[in-house]
Amino acid sequence: MTTILPQPLTPTLAPIRLRAKLARTILEQVLARVPVDVVLPDGSRLGGMAVRPSEPSGIRPTVELRNPDAFFERLAHHPKIGIGEGYMAGDWRAAPGTDLADALRPFAERLTTAIPRAWLALRQVVDRAIPREQRNTVTGSRRNIEAHYDLSNDLFAAFLDQTLTYSSALFDPTSPVEGQSLEDAQLRKVHAILDEARVQEGSRVLEIGTGWGTLAIEAAKRGAQVTTLTLSREQAALAQRRVEAAGVAARVDIRLEDYREARGSFDAIVSVEMIEAVGEEYWPTYFRTLDRLLAPGGTVAIQAILMSHDRYLVTRRSYGWIQKHIFPGGLIPSLQALSAVTGRETGLRVTRVHTFGQDYAETLHRWRATFLRAWPEVERLGFDETFRRKWEFYLAYCEAGFASGYLDVAQLRLERTA
């Protein structure tokens, strides 16, 4: 599978040359505030924060800029997308001895302070709107989900644990993380959210976002009757085989169905990291649907990736690398935004929040390490070197976001309080 990567603009165009020079100037000013060394092909360093006398030698992450001209052209064309596309193209890399996520983390930690205030006025000039074709209409959602989740079941199986769970694990805080298996931590997450939703024997459960079936299997093992919805044919087919192998097929109904098309009445509604694919435009529809489907006295439990409300307001209409290359139509909400829409549109209220963002950083770190070890196997599936760099950057970029606290993840309980 060949990954299409936009080429840098032709450097002979005078406006682009000027913008590329401006991009370099801005990056130099950013590096004056961020402790990351950027080394040019001739061995010189690009700008950079002065080394403090007390700073131990070799403590700083180091990035090698291998093709500066192409990289700055990409930044000039689209700053939010150019960094990731530059990595995909091999314009830059983490230097030997520097982990990619460690190189990205200092930028994530200083996201609101790294860019000099004078340059922030350019945001409205460089930001681009999310393309309308990525809107999460009924047909658009199916297309957006298929673009990621239907890449290949074998691809995901190559780096996920045996549960095939593609969301944050929940590690036991009472013992060292290093000694815990990812499989155990994923099952701990699944049972934590089933507990949040009060799933027990006899519960009628609706799951929005089947994944590869692990949550449905564990809920059925509790004696629940599970209806689970997905838009991914690849996931549905494998989930059905896994449900049958687990001996719970009689308790699990897997449907290729949009949440907006669901009917019935359920004691518990559970959804793990699916709200990010709904899109702000459709949040009212999503939560009204949950309210409509939830039986009296029932409970909703959602696992959601979150960001601060200030950052959500800044990024909510801005098109970024993740949306272009990984999750078309995706948007990370804030807890405040979700609480506001549920309060305005439904009788549901957030009654409990459990955050565990550092566990997501650990989960992503393990996925990336496994993905890179398994690359020969993934390559045999037909994926190319650009795809490898794209997914390496994606996993490291997200890890840095959670490790820095820029992103968080939480299990939310929603109930009718009146």
Side-chain angles (χ1 to χ4, degrees):
M1 181 180 296
T2 301
T3 306
I4 304 300
L5 177 65
Q7 295 300 309
L9 300 181
T10 305
T12 55
L13 298 177
I16 297 302
R17 286 204 307 270
L18 291 174
R19 290 177 64 178
K21 289 181 179 179
L22 179 60
R24 176 171 177 148
T25 298
I26 294 174
L27 180 57
E28 288 175 336
Q29 294 187 16
V30 167
L31 291 172
R33 300 164 181 240
V34 178
V36 174
D37 287 331
V38 175
V39 178
L40 297 169
D42 64 2
S44 63
R45 194 176 70 166
L46 182 70
M49 178 186 288
V51 178
R52 296 186 297 271
S54 60
E55 188 174 27
S57 176
I59 195 172
R60 285 192 183 184
T62 301
V63 166
E64 294 178 352
L65 199 51
R66 307 178 75 188
N67 193 342
D69 290 342
F71 178 69
F72 289 122
E73 287 168 31
R74 293 183 201 280
L75 281 188
H77 184 59
H78 199 319
K80 291 188 67 175
I81 292 175
I83 293 173
E85 290 189 345
Y87 192 84
M88 291 167 63
D91 294 343
W92 67 276
R93 68 179 184 183
T98 294
D99 181 78
L100 179 58
D102 290 342
L104 295 171
R105 179 173 176 171
F107 294 97
E109 290 172 337
R110 297 161 177 80
L111 204 60
T112 60
T113 59
I115 299 177
R117 186 173 298 276
W119 295 117
L120 290 177
L122 294 175
R123 173 179 290 278
Q124 294 181 349
V125 176
V126 301
D127 269 1
R128 300 189 182 181
I130 299 170
R132 288 191 61 79
E133 58 266 25
Q134 289 196 5
R135 290 179 64 225
N136 287 295
T137 61
V138 173
T139 55
S141 288
R142 189 177 301 276
R143 183 173 59 247
N144 289 338
I145 291 297
E146 289 174 347
H148 187 81
Y149 293 97
D150 280 357
L151 283 168
S152 164
N153 284 335
D154 290 337
L155 163 67
F156 290 98
F159 71 91
L160 299 179
D161 67 280
Q162 291 299 308
T163 68
L164 290 181
T165 306
Y166 188 42
S167 52
S168 180
L170 179 62
F171 292 91
D172 183 350
T174 66
S175 61
V177 169
E178 297 77 15
Q180 300 181 49
S181 73
L182 187 55
E183 181 176 0
D184 287 347
Q186 290 290 12
L187 289 173
R188 182 176 294 105
K189 178 271 303 294
V190 167
H191 285 283
I193 199 165
L194 291 177
D195 289 346
E196 289 287 1
R198 302 187 176 99
V199 174
Q200 57 190 337
E201 185 172 359
S203 295
R204 297 165 298 168
V205 177
L206 174 66
E207 180 188 21
I208 301 178
T210 305
W212 287 277
T214 294
L215 188 146
I217 290 169
E218 296 302 316
K221 287 179 178 178
R222 292 189 176 199
Q225 193 69 37
V226 184
T227 299
T228 180
L229 312 181
T230 181
L231 296 178
S232 168
R233 295 183 185 277
E234 289 272 337
Q235 285 188 328
L238 182 52
Q240 186 63 50
R241 294 196 295 272
R242 296 183 73 229
V243 163
E244 291 169 358
V248 294
R251 291 187 172 275
V252 178
D253 180 15
I254 300 173
R255 299 181 182 178
L256 275 168
E257 185 173 284
D258 190 278
Y259 68 89
R260 286 162 283 205
E261 301 167 336
R263 298 292 180 270
S265 181
F266 301 91
D267 305 304
I269 301 176
V270 182
S271 188
V272 176
E273 293 181 28
M274 185 270 181
I275 185 66
E276 303 84 1
V278 170
E280 183 183 43
E281 179 183 1
Y282 294 97
W283 287 347
T285 301
Y286 175 79
F287 285 109
R288 286 197 300 263
T289 300
L290 301 188
D291 203 9
R292 169 174 60 82
L293 296 171
L294 188 66
T299 306
V300 175
I302 294 173
Q303 183 164 310
I305 298 172
L306 301 170
M307 64 171 59
S308 72
H309 193 62
D310 287 346
R311 294 308 302 165
Y312 152 74
L313 291 175
V314 168
T315 61
R316 58 198 283 256
R317 302 195 189 283
S318 179
Y319 188 46
W321 183 87
I322 288 281
Q323 291 157 316
K324 180 175 180 180
H325 288 285
I326 305 295
F327 292 113
L331 176 67
I332 295 174
S334 68
L335 179 58
Q336 183 176 335
L338 296 184
S339 296
V341 72
T342 54
R344 186 175 63 248
E345 301 288 341
T346 75
L348 300 171
R349 299 294 182 270
V350 177
T351 59
R352 188 173 185 276
V353 180
H354 175 217
T355 61
F356 49 105
Q358 291 305 309
D359 287 9
Y360 217 154
E362 177 68 18
T363 302
L364 286 154
H365 185 77
R366 296 193 189 194
W367 285 347
R368 180 162 55 99
T370 305
F371 175 81
L372 293 175
R373 284 196 303 269
W375 174 246
E377 174 188 344
V378 174
E379 189 175 29
R380 285 193 291 271
L381 297 173
F383 296 98
D384 63 11
E385 183 66 15
T386 302
F387 180 88
R388 183 194 67 78
R389 288 193 295 265
K390 176 170 73 172
W391 272 62
E392 182 184 13
F393 182 81
Y394 151 54
L395 295 170
Y397 178 78
C398 293
E399 178 186 338
F402 286 102
S404 68
Y406 174 74
L407 298 175
D408 206 346
V409 67
Q411 290 185 353
L412 315 177
R413 179 187 291 166
L414 295 93
E415 303 171 272
R416 297 190 184 100
T417 56

